[in-house]
Amino acid sequence: MKKDFIHIILADDDEDDRMFFTDAFDELKIGTKVKTFNDGIYLMDYLNSNNCELPHVLFLDLNMPRKSGLECLYEIKANPKFNDIAIAIYSTSASEEDIEKTFVQGANIYIKKPSSFKVLKKVLSEVVTTNWQYHTNGLNKDNFLLRL
Amino acid sequence: MPYRLHKKLWFVKTVVYVCAFVILLVGGMTYKNIQSLSQASNLVTHTYKINVELEQVLSYLKDAETAQRGSIITNDPLYLEPYYSGRDSINNSFAELRELLKNNPTQLNNLKELNKLIDVRIACFQKSFRFSAVSDLGNPVFKENFWAGKQAMDAVRDKVKHMIALENKLLEEQQSELKENLKVTPIFLYMVLLMCLLLMYGAYAKIISNLKKLKKSNIELEMFKESANLSEIVSNYGNWVWNIDENTYIYSDNLYRLLGEEPNAFHPSIENLLKFVHPKDIKKLNKDIKKMMENENLPYTYFRIVQKNGKIRHLKSFAKKVINTDGKKQLIGTTSDVTEEVKSFRLLEEHNLTLERNNKELSAFNYVASHDLQEPLRKIQTFLSRLEEKEAENLSEPGLKYVDRIKTSATRMRLLIDDLLQFSRTNKADKVFEKSNLNLLLEGAKQDLAEAISNEKAIINANEFPIVKVIPFQIQQLFANLIGNSIKYRSLERTPEITITYSKVKASEESNIKKGKKDNYHKITFIDNGIGFDNAYAKKIFVLFNRLHNKDEYSGTGIGLSICKKIIENHKGFIIAKGKPGIGAKFTIYLPAKL
């Protein structure tokens, strides 16, 4: 059974967003295991620890104290150990600059946090059920930002 | 001008030399002529004297003859007195003649022969004295003697005549020779002198005209100098010259003034100039001057000076080498006071810095608006959606109504924030003009509005558009805003219909864009059959947050048309609105055909 779980990690400093995130997955009823971290430092500490279970999909908020999502992205992409992790940027803003930077750094998808719980659930299920191995091949800047 | 004057000077010089030479020549010739003339007159006197002496000799002889005859006739020795004195006089005359004729051997010979003839005659006299007319008239010896005397006398007379003729002939020959010389020369000399005078006059005229020209150019030069002085004062610069060969300097009056001194207040030299230079700039300027001396050239150099009153001025110097008419090397330079320029440049830099800071603040604000404001709003909306979904059954009727109201407000706030963000994005500097197919951009705009268009069953008629160099996403935004506007303010009585037409126009033929800087424009017109508006508001509708309707009736934020105007301004074009209440609105946009 354990094998079939999709491992998901979210790094976000906002408590409400973490709650929406876990609530959405609870209601989605997909076999997922969700872990959340309060900022980039906690996240990286966990990923670099020995007993860590590497996630299938990592959701990164960009604007976090101490270590931002972008810094985490640099570190993860610099380490071959994390090659198989699909990275979804999960941010309030969708400025051209942020999209450009994260795309160049090798993130898989950019999600603008939706303002409706219903939409949030739809977005998350879409992202989690995507076969990222396959999706990465056709990745380009136009479909990088998730539109639903 | 100087070169021309130079040439004329050469001409004048030549004329003067030639004239002086001619005058000397004429003087010499005249001297020679006068000498010839006096020689001729001497010749005449000489001949005359000879002739007179000869005539006298003859006359004395005649006197002697007369005396002899008298004594013979009267037998009175008293008559013989002239005979005795005549003998002496003849001798005197002979001495005189010998002296006069010493240069003429022919005549001296003749004179000797004459002497012999006279001796013969006198011998005859001597013999004749022994006879008397009273007693001896019949004596044959007497007769013979007398006859011989007459013959001798005739010979003497002939000789004298011959000698006088010879002398006259000689005189004539010599005189004609002299005359030959004299005949041509006076006219020739006169002509030469006349020519000389003419030449001198020419030279004089030339000198006078040259002087006039010189005076004129002097006046012009003076005026030019004055205007140069004035322009130096007006435009705050001074001139200087470095005579490279002599290593001397000339400073213009205003250069002294730039240094805060009276004109000619000090001897112009590098050392004296350096006394004014700001201590911090001396090293650099010295380096530049050293380079100037080596290269005989001075590219722009900047330095500060400190005037006597302590004021600091910024100066800029520039010089170029020239070779003047005397073939001497000179470095001609100007030094201008650029204090004001430096000041305004500093001011500009400060303004630029402020502007940059403001821009940074603005982008910071953008970020705040886009991120920080959106975040709580998003959460409000998400919580609302959760409330509706999960707690709807726990809420009372009014409670559900309040939730609905909160939702409406939150939606409107999102609209405002999104529009505001879009407006500030149209301000961003990185606008890239690309050749774009306007048809595709219109298609894109229609897709953006696909929901609204299909909901309202709006009809959009459009001409074929050309390919134009624009900022594509902005033009698409513009089209979307204008079409969206027409749909939003549609008339409830009829199906919304939007007609978009295109034409290329000349600025001079369009009354709307008389102020246009370009010649040709693309003109695109959007005409709808919506509610229209009063033309009095035609300009006001483009102002940010300006709305003509209550927000309960129409959901606008008052930003859409401001964005349109901003976009058109980015393209250096024009947008004009016209409306008729209840009938429709017309938006005309003009985009420059060439950027």
Side-chain angles (χ1 to χ4, degrees):
Chain A
M1 272 298 275
K2 213 180 170 186
K3 263 184 189 170
D4 295 338
F5 283 120
I6 298 170
H7 287 275
I8 288 160
I9 288 180
L10 168 70
D12 196 329
D13 62 315
D14 191 300
E15 199 192 336
D16 294 336
D17 277 331
R18 289 200 303 271
M19 186 186 87
F20 291 147
F21 193 83
T22 48
D23 283 0
F25 275 114
D26 283 348
E27 286 183 20
L28 272 175
K29 305 205 171 25
I30 315 170
T32 53
K33 261 194 164 176
V34 180
K35 257 199 179 78
T36 59
F37 294 94
N38 284 7
D39 64 31
I41 300 271
Y42 290 125
L43 171 73
M44 292 316 293
D45 283 351
Y46 171 75
L47 288 179
N48 289 320
S49 65
N50 291 327
N51 57 348
C52 121
E53 211 172 343
L54 287 183
H56 294 103
V57 186
L58 168 65
F59 289 82
L60 269 179
D61 182 23
L62 287 180
N63 195 22
M64 290 187 288
R66 301 212 291 166
K67 190 174 268 183
S68 75
L70 201 63
E71 284 169 282
C72 295
L73 182 62
Y74 284 134
E75 283 180 35
I76 289 162
K77 283 294 160 187
N79 191 339
K81 186 178 140 193
F82 306 129
N83 270 355
D84 292 336
I85 304 175
I87 294 173
I89 303 299
Y90 185 64
S91 171
T92 310
S93 81
S95 76
E96 288 284 333
E97 208 187 327
D98 287 342
I99 293 172
E100 174 90 27
K101 267 188 195 160
T102 50
F103 177 73
V104 170
Q105 284 308 314
N108 296 76
I109 197 147
Y110 196 109
I111 302 159
K112 192 178 176 224
K113 288 176 185 169
S115 49
S116 144
F117 192 71
K118 219 188 256 173
V119 178
L120 175 66
K121 283 203 287 189
K122 206 174 158 195
V123 166
L124 291 182
S125 85
E126 177 92 17
V127 170
V128 166
T129 53
T130 302
N131 181 343
W132 286 106
Q133 211 65 49
Y134 170 75
H135 183 88
T136 312
N137 295 334
L139 189 66
N140 62 47
K141 231 178 108 182
D142 288 332
N143 61 24
F144 178 59
L145 178 67
L146 181 69
R147 288 177 219 266
L148 282 174
Chain B
M1 179 76 111
Y3 179 65
R4 248 163 58 211
L5 278 178
H6 211 66
K7 242 167 82 181
K8 278 173 188 166
L9 215 70
W10 175 243
F11 167 77
V12 168
K13 265 184 191 168
T14 314
V15 165
V16 167
Y17 286 142
V18 167
C19 283
F21 178 71
V22 167
I23 286 169
L24 262 172
L25 202 77
V26 168
M29 283 175 89
T30 309
Y31 175 72
K32 217 182 124 204
N33 277 358
I34 287 168
Q35 280 239 315
S36 301
L37 271 175
S38 81
Q39 211 181 333
S41 112
N42 279 349
L43 273 175
V44 172
T45 316
H46 183 73
T47 310
Y48 175 73
K49 267 187 189 162
I50 292 169
N51 287 356
V52 165
E53 284 306 323
L54 283 171
E55 290 287 352
Q56 246 172 1
V57 168
L58 198 63
S59 154
Y60 290 141
L61 216 55
K62 276 177 187 166
D63 281 352
E65 194 179 37
T66 311
Q68 180 210 18
R69 279 176 193 168
S71 83
I72 290 170
I73 292 167
T74 57
N75 217 9
D76 188 349
L78 205 70
Y79 284 97
L80 276 176
E81 202 278 322
Y83 166 76
Y84 296 123
S85 65
R87 184 69 230 192
D88 288 343
S89 297
I90 285 170
N91 282 342
N92 283 345
S93 287
F94 255 89
E96 193 87 3
L97 278 170
R98 252 193 298 277
E99 183 61 32
L100 286 168
L101 292 171
K102 66 180 174 205
N103 288 331
N104 193 337
T106 327
Q107 288 290 68
L108 273 179
N109 254 344
N110 283 335
L111 197 64
K112 261 181 203 159
E113 276 167 34
L114 184 65
N115 201 12
K116 271 178 203 158
L117 287 171
I118 287 171
D119 282 347
V120 171
R121 179 63 191 122
I122 287 172
C124 284
F125 282 149
Q126 296 285 356
K127 281 174 192 163
S128 302
F129 286 145
R130 274 167 284 163
F131 305 97
S132 156
V134 185
S135 52
D136 302 321
L137 273 177
N139 191 333
V141 180
F142 171 73
K143 273 187 183 166
E144 189 194 337
N145 242 330
F146 217 77
W147 180 242
K150 180 199 173 322
Q151 269 182 331
M153 193 65 189
D154 283 347
V156 167
R157 202 174 277 125
D158 279 349
K159 199 75 204 170
V160 165
K161 227 188 216 165
H162 173 71
M163 279 180 77
I164 286 175
L166 203 67
E167 201 58 37
N168 279 344
K169 202 180 150 205
L170 195 69
L171 176 69
E172 221 165 90
E173 270 171 17
Q174 281 175 335
Q175 264 185 336
S176 77
E177 200 180 309
L178 282 170
K179 261 181 198 158
E180 200 68 29
N181 284 340
L182 283 167
K183 214 193 268 171
V184 243
T185 39
I187 288 174
F188 174 72
L189 288 180
Y190 184 66
M191 294 306 276
V192 167
L193 263 178
L194 220 64
M195 236 167 67
C196 217
L197 266 174
L198 268 172
L199 272 175
M200 294 268 278
Y201 177 74
Y204 171 76
K206 200 113 255 179
I207 288 170
I208 290 293
S209 85
N210 280 359
L211 271 177
K212 270 185 193 162
K213 272 179 196 158
L214 211 65
K215 206 173 151 190
K216 208 177 137 202
S217 62
N218 255 342
I219 289 170
E220 278 169 11
L221 213 63
E222 202 61 41
M223 266 166 64
F224 181 74
K225 203 179 142 194
E226 199 50 45
S227 76
N229 269 341
L230 282 176
S231 74
E232 278 186 16
I233 292 170
V234 169
S235 32
N236 251 333
Y237 74 94
N239 285 314
W240 49 270
V241 177
W242 174 35
N243 295 310
I244 296 176
D245 299 317
E246 290 103 7
N247 195 22
T248 56
Y249 292 84
I250 303 167
Y251 289 176
S252 77
D253 289 355
N254 208 46
L255 192 64
Y256 289 99
R257 290 191 199 107
L258 289 187
L259 298 171
E261 297 287 331
E262 290 295 312
N264 296 314
F266 57 86
H267 178 73
S269 73
I270 290 283
E271 293 71 35
N272 283 335
L273 176 76
L274 284 173
K275 283 178 196 162
F276 290 91
V277 175
H278 194 282
K280 280 186 180 165
D281 287 352
I282 281 192
K283 215 172 149 191
K284 182 192 159 286
L285 188 65
N286 259 327
K287 220 168 101 189
D288 284 343
I289 289 171
K290 212 179 140 203
K291 239 191 240 168
M292 173 186 96
M293 303 244 176
E294 279 165 12
N295 305 338
E296 296 177 349
N297 184 27
L298 179 68
Y300 287 107
T301 177
Y302 294 85
F303 56 94
R304 284 166 294 173
I305 51 138
V306 185
Q307 294 181 344
K308 247 193 323 211
N309 52 18
K311 273 189 191 162
I312 293 174
R313 311 289 293 175
H314 293 258
L315 299 187
K316 176 176 87 172
S317 278
F318 173 74
K320 243 187 148 171
K321 187 168 81 168
V322 295
I323 291 171
N324 70 7
T325 41
D326 296 336
K328 286 195 173 161
K329 286 188 285 183
Q330 285 182 317
L331 203 68
I332 294 185
T334 67
T335 294
S336 39
D337 187 326
V338 291
T339 313
E340 297 308 314
E341 281 95 323
V342 169
K343 261 190 203 161
S344 51
F345 182 73
R346 293 245 167 95
L347 209 67
L348 213 66
E349 261 184 345
E350 264 170 42
H351 284 171
N352 265 345
L353 274 177
T354 320
L355 216 62
E356 235 166 72
R357 214 166 34 234
N358 286 350
N359 262 342
K360 269 187 190 155
E361 276 168 15
L362 204 67
S363 20
F365 168 77
N366 272 349
Y367 192 75
V368 168
S370 73
H371 193 271
D372 295 19
L373 280 182
Q374 277 185 79
E375 202 169 81
L377 180 62
R378 179 176 52 76
K379 276 191 211 156
I380 291 168
Q381 287 183 309
T382 313
F383 276 121
L384 277 171
S385 72
R386 294 236 70 186
L387 203 61
E388 267 189 318
E389 227 175 277
K390 269 183 121 177
E391 307 292 327
E393 60 266 32
N394 297 335
L395 283 171
S396 64
E397 192 77 6
L400 280 171
K401 211 178 187 177
Y402 299 151
V403 168
D404 206 45
R405 283 295 172 94
I406 298 169
K407 232 173 92 182
T408 313
S409 281
T411 309
R412 182 163 170 74
M413 188 162 176
R414 171 154 301 278
L415 202 67
L416 269 168
I417 290 174
D418 283 350
D419 279 1
L420 213 54
L421 268 176
Q422 203 149 50
F423 180 74
S424 58
R425 256 206 288 275
T426 45
N427 265 335
K428 266 172 87 177
D430 52 339
K431 293 161 255 175
V432 185
F433 282 80
E434 285 169 27
K435 274 189 180 168
S436 319
N437 188 338
L438 293 187
N439 300 297
L440 293 181
L441 295 181
L442 179 65
E443 229 24 72
K446 272 152 91 175
Q447 266 170 30
D448 291 348
L449 295 165
E451 207 182 323
I453 291 171
S454 70
N455 283 350
E456 306 304 330
K457 298 185 176 59
I459 304 162
I460 298 171
N461 308 309
N463 278 165
E464 193 70 20
F465 296 120
I467 288 169
V468 182
K469 214 172 175 188
V470 292
I471 308 164
F473 79 90
Q474 288 198 353
I475 293 296
Q476 182 168 328
Q477 173 90 51
L478 171 81
F479 287 172
N481 280 7
L482 287 175
I483 294 168
N485 220 47
S486 287
I487 292 172
K488 191 184 285 170
Y489 298 105
R490 69 192 176 275
S491 166
L492 296 176
E493 293 152 18
R494 45 188 182 256
T495 316
E497 193 173 345
I498 304 157
T499 309
I500 308 167
T501 57
Y502 166 84
S503 61
K504 197 170 178 180
V505 295
K506 280 187 176 155
S508 50
E509 287 164 10
E510 288 286 310
S511 56
N512 289 331
I513 51 165
K514 276 279 181 311
K515 282 182 283 177
K517 280 180 182 147
K518 301 287 188 318
D519 293 337
N520 296 306
Y521 283 84
H522 299 290
K523 178 184 180 184
I524 303 168
T525 324
F526 289 73
I527 300 170
D528 66 36
N529 57 354
I531 57 166
F533 57 88
D534 192 330
N535 250 340
Y537 303 111
K539 287 220 166 99
K540 228 180 150 188
I541 56 172
F542 293 111
V543 179
L544 197 60
F545 296 124
N546 244 297
R547 295 160 42 84
L548 299 181
H549 305 278
N550 193 302
K551 61 175 177 286
D552 295 337
E553 300 170 73
Y554 294 99
S555 63
T557 55
I559 300 173
L561 284 178
S562 308
I563 292 174
C564 290
K565 190 160 174 78
K566 195 106 242 168
I567 289 170
I568 287 294
E569 277 168 4
N570 286 345
H571 286 79
K572 296 186 168 59
F574 302 90
I575 182 163
I576 290 138
K578 263 185 185 163
K580 266 187 191 162
I583 291 176
K586 179 181 167 189
F587 288 90
T588 312
I589 59 176
Y590 295 93
L591 293 172
K594 266 186 193 164
L595 286 172

